[in-house]
Amino acid sequence: MKQRPRATPEPRRVGKTKLHLVPPSSFSNAGADVLAAALRGFGRRNLSLALSGGSTPGPIYEALAGFPGIPWERIGIYFADERAVPPDDPASNYRLVRSALLERVPIPAESVHRMEAERPDLDEAAESYERRLPSRLDVLVLGIGEDGHTASLFPGSPNLRETARRVAPARSPSPPTERLTITPPVVLSAGRIFLFARGPAKADAVREALLGEADMSGCPARLARGGTWVVDTEAAAQLRP
Ligand code: 6PG
């Protein structure tokens, strides 16, 4: 079948990472375009898609909802992390994903696996989610914080040394402080990782995550190396041309 001309130019390679550098004006559409291409690439089998929250991915999810040919009926939705708030709280990642994507595409309700981070016992909530999480995520969407965190894996967190648990309670330096997060083994075993970063505030973190040393304790977003990054030119300002 003739490939549809891609809206997004081919990525450049930075080490093992595929880096799409895009103007701010086309960031959301470029992110949706590369994500849509990946989601169409699984033939007729079911697949798992884990999403992050925060302010960056919302417009990407909204754009993705308008892309054709995505097998939403075969996609299971999971979450990379969640804040310890009710699902209708403005800070909830689930709420963001529901309004930006789930309400706009034909995904069966039973295919959406929410992290119940509002439960009083976060250890129990983590164990419960771990039982629902596939042994290997097909597609994982990550963001990056100004401090280099990703999901709710923050610099210096003991979760960065976690090798057994796949979901764990986490503490964020910024509110909401209590969270649930996937751990490094889940990130590293994902089939495809996409990291989205936009805006000048992320320039330091993007440089550190992409070009800094390999140790991820200081910059957990280094876990996404080898994935596909879509970065706007403002967030890429500290990368060599
Ligand atoms: C969250 C996200 C988190 C996010 C970064 C970047 O729960 O906040 O999962 O990992 O990707 O914090 O957030 P922004 O996109 O808001 O900058």
Side-chain angles (χ1 to χ4, degrees):
M1 180 180 80
K2 188 170 175 312
Q3 284 298 329
R4 200 169 68 89
R6 294 287 302 280
T8 310
E10 287 308 307
R12 65 185 71 180
R13 284 275 179 172
V14 180
K16 297 180 298 180
T17 304
K18 294 186 285 297
L19 175 64
H20 292 274
L21 274 190
V22 297
S25 59
S26 57
F27 174 78
S28 299
N29 195 60
D33 186 50
V34 295
L35 202 41
L39 295 173
R40 293 188 197 108
F42 286 83
R44 301 198 56 77
R45 79 170 177 82
N46 292 343
L47 63 132
S48 52
L49 168 63
L51 299 173
S52 286
S55 60
T56 301
I60 295 174
Y61 299 155
E62 287 173 3
L64 183 68
F67 271 65
I70 297 175
W72 293 113
E73 69 285 354
R74 293 199 297 274
I75 295 177
I77 297 288
Y78 297 85
F79 290 82
D81 67 336
E82 184 55 278
R83 292 84 177 275
V85 297
D88 283 325
D89 188 291
S92 163
N93 288 340
Y94 167 76
R95 183 176 186 264
L96 166 88
V97 169
R98 185 183 63 194
S99 63
L101 181 64
L102 303 181
E103 289 173 351
R104 304 164 189 251
V105 296
I107 289 189
E110 63 272 17
S111 298
V112 180
H113 306 276
R114 186 175 71 80
M115 268 188 179
E116 297 173 340
E118 74 279 13
R119 287 169 51 174
D121 186 328
L122 281 180
D123 281 307
E124 266 183 18
E127 287 160 18
S128 165
Y129 200 75
E130 187 163 323
R131 291 193 288 273
R132 299 179 70 179
L133 204 58
S135 55
R136 180 175 176 273
L137 289 168
D138 290 306
V139 181
L140 172 60
V141 170
L142 293 174
I144 182 171
E146 294 179 31
D147 61 356
H149 81 263
T150 195
S152 281
L153 295 167
F154 293 92
S157 165
N159 285 330
L160 295 173
R161 295 188 299 279
E162 186 60 64
T163 54
R165 293 196 300 184
R166 300 193 302 137
V167 181
R171 185 174 292 274
S172 164
S174 53
T177 50
E178 301 300 316
R179 305 193 180 194
L180 284 181
T181 185
I182 58 173
T183 60
V186 176
V187 179
L188 295 171
S189 64
R192 294 287 306 275
I193 294 176
F194 292 89
L195 184 142
F196 299 125
R198 75 177 311 168
K202 301 294 176 73
D204 285 344
V206 165
R207 184 201 63 243
E208 275 308 301
L210 205 48
L211 304 178
E213 57 189 74
D215 169 38
M216 50 96 176
S217 63
C219 183
R222 289 172 181 152
L223 287 164
R225 286 182 179 179
T228 299
W229 295 30
V230 180
V231 180
D232 79 354
T233 46
E234 293 177 340
Q238 301 216 1
L239 302 180
R240 283 191 308 280

